[in-house]
Amino acid sequence: MTEFSASQVVYTNKLEQVYGLYVELIDGSAESVTYRIVKEFEVGGGAYAVLQNETAGADDDVQILKIETSPEGEVQLATIDDDDEWENVAELFDELTFPEEM
């Protein structure tokens, strides 16, 4: 069970305002990879982005990253290092994407 609920989510568009619908990231092999911004939201004091590889199919996995703002005001993406935080945000994304039928 996640610490967050869908009712706490505030949708944002920080990344989209800066980068458009796509962001380019460097992978572990130092290759540039383009990702589509699927969702951006704030919850529990954190801001998060859900990204999907531009070449991925609809059922392929997504990347969930934290949106941070540098001291200079630059919007950046960061890996979520805390396992509990990542699990909570991933479960929340599932809840937002596949809500249970009432």
Side-chain angles (χ1 to χ4, degrees), residues 75-94:
V75 177
Q76 303 172 334
L77 290 170
T79 303
I80 302 172
D81 294 326
D82 181 275
D83 291 340
D84 291 335
E85 179 183 12
W86 189 92
E87 187 67 33
N88 283 321
V89 175
E91 286 181 22
L92 177 60
F93 174 67
D94 285 346

Side-chain angles (χ1 to χ4, degrees):
M1 174 116 176
T2 181
E3 288 182 19
F4 308 129
S5 71
S7 65
Q8 297 171 307
V9 169
V10 175
Y11 290 102
T12 63
N13 64 347
K14 292 178 184 180
L15 285 179
E16 186 178 333
Q17 288 179 345
V18 174
Y19 299 106
L21 296 176
Y22 296 89
V23 294
E24 196 170 295
L25 303 177
I26 305 300
D27 67 11
S29 304
E31 297 290 325
S32 177
V33 181
T34 302
Y35 288 88
R36 179 176 59 87
I37 300 169
V38 176
K39 282 196 187 331
E40 296 180 57
F41 57 90
E42 294 179 357
V43 66
Y48 304 94
V50 180
L51 308 175
Q52 189 168 44
N53 186 313
E54 183 180 45
T55 61
D59 294 333
D60 289 338
D61 288 337
V62 295
Q63 300 292 318
I64 301 174
L65 300 170
K66 193 168 205 166
I67 302 170
E68 297 179 341
T69 304
S70 74
E72 297 80 26
E74 183 178 322
V75 177
Q76 303 172 334
L77 290 170
T79 303
I80 302 172
D81 294 326
D82 181 275
D83 291 340
D84 291 335
E85 179 183 12
W86 189 92
E87 187 67 33
N88 283 321
V89 175
E91 286 181 22
L92 177 60
F93 174 67
D94 285 346
E95 181 182 335
L96 294 170
T97 305
F98 309 106
E100 291 183 28
E101 298 295 323
M102 293 282 180

